[in-house]
Amino acid sequence: MSGVIDNIAVCGAGAMGSGIAQVAAQAGATVKVFDVNAEALAASRKRTLADLDKLVARGKLSAEAGEAVAGRMAWVSSLDELAGCDLVIEAIIEDAGIKGQLFEKLEAVLADSAVIATNTSSLPVSRLARSLRHPGRFVGMHFFNPATVMKLVEVISGAATDPAVAARIVATAKHWGKVAIPAADVAGFIVNRVARPFYGEAFAALNEGAAEPVVIDALFKSAGFRMGPLELTDLIGQDVNFAVARSVFDSYFGRTRFVPQTRQAALVDAGWLGRKTGRGVYDYADGASGSALPEAPAVAVTDAHRQAAEALTAGQGDPFVRCDGVAIGLTRGRTARSEARALGVPVALLDWCPQDAQGAVGFAVSDEAARELALAVLAASQRQGLELADRPGLIVARTLGQIANSGADAVLEQVADEAGIDAALRFGANYPYGPFAFADLFGRAGLVALLDGIADETGEALYRPSIYLRNTA
């Protein structure tokens, strides 16, 4: 068994199934979209043809190419019409029993050599394969929504999956223009496991009064993210996001790098589910989200402040730069008050942000002298300082460090390798850089020290660095 598969079917005419079918057809495959619901089939056909028309109008496809793609697609309501397909991708409701019934019916009409794939985002591939007569041909093929836009496909091998089948699915997904990453059959696969701290840490910061939501989101956008974690949960839906958090947490019996947050649970209980209900973390009653960032106070900037800003950018020698009797530097996981006691001088701590980034930088201080110094040094580097509560690891460094920690656990447990995890987070979650790329930007030894510092100050073992991270520091 080898080569790209070009005769496929997709079961499920919803938005995801339709998107998968369109992706395959645009790559040259002959595609059948199956659904028992006639209205769903009609809506899928209308949606797909309209999307192709838009691509033609924008010059992404020629009119001839658009017609050819549509000509390779068919919408059918009988499973018997899938008999000649070499790959069938299931994209129906996330119910193991209903999926299992479909797989049994598919086995009755498909050739023994045909591959059956599931687009499940949460159910174990090995469990779904148990009822099949030929479980070796069963594989996970997890697309991300919208499938026509998002590049990532996680290819999950269950316990019985034939390696040749998984390899063929990887080759097929790549031929369709996707970034196909092999993954082990674990809860959350790669993205939904490794990325959980992105949301959990934001709600923890909110719960602890570290900053207002608009400040938390602004700091991540300054760090290169398209959306901050809180506004992203409003877009996803608080109920959906929280349910995934609970599912992953429970699947690992609580041995995770995050904890489902009561602040998010309260939103779900209140029915404040985000954009779809008009209110979530933010109120969308007026069509907008959040509020403006606080204005930066006017500060006097001296040559000493400019020199301190340049020294911080250079990042050489002592992790702290001294200026006006204050030590200022990047967070090492301890609070500013702890650092001040150790150093014997006031301390200002900066949250992590790429050196070439523009926008706001978070900081925390041990006293008023440190506050004035932080604002002046940041102003000298043309950055707006946003004061945060003095908490271990601040916000961005703590979150990205914990995501890297989660990624390191995934490598240790052979879910995927470093490159695969970085690619999965970039192309499946739109991260500006993967967790290991961040670890290298921060410095792995420094990241281990940061996480140890957070664990020491919080007393929370979940922040202790992964063995894999320690070993590669």
Side-chain angles (χ1 to χ4, degrees), residues 449-460:
L450 173 91
L451 291 166
D452 272 328
I454 296 170
D456 289 341
E457 295 255 337
T458 63
E460 295 285 356

Side-chain angles (χ1 to χ4, degrees), residues 112-241:
D112 290 348
S113 59
V115 177
I116 301 175
T118 175
N119 182 53
T120 184
S121 62
S122 60
L123 298 172
V125 172
S126 298
R127 183 190 304 167
L128 293 176
R130 285 191 306 194
S131 62
L132 273 66
R133 296 194 310 272
H134 304 291
R137 62 162 161 191
F138 190 76
V139 65
M141 198 175 186
H142 181 212
F143 290 78
F144 286 73
N145 196 33
T148 53
V149 176
M150 300 301 287
K151 288 287 190 180
L152 180 67
V153 175
E154 294 175 325
V155 179
I156 303 101
S157 294
T161 302
D162 184 337
V165 167
R168 195 175 186 195
I169 293 302
V170 168
T172 298
K174 288 181 176 179
H175 179 71
W176 293 354
K178 298 300 184 181
V179 176
I181 306 298
D185 187 21
V186 298
F189 309 137
I190 300 174
V191 173
N192 280 329
R193 169 187 171 155
V194 176
R196 295 321 312 169
F198 186 64
Y199 314 106
E201 286 294 335
F203 277 104
L206 192 61
N207 195 53
E208 295 170 17
E212 292 299 310
V214 67
V215 170
I216 294 171
D217 283 337
L219 294 178
F220 282 94
K221 285 184 278 192
S222 290
F225 288 80
R226 296 183 186 180
M227 296 183 74
L230 297 173
E231 60 182 336
L232 181 54
T233 58
D234 269 355
L235 179 64
I236 294 168
Q238 298 299 339
D239 53 341
V240 174
N241 189 266

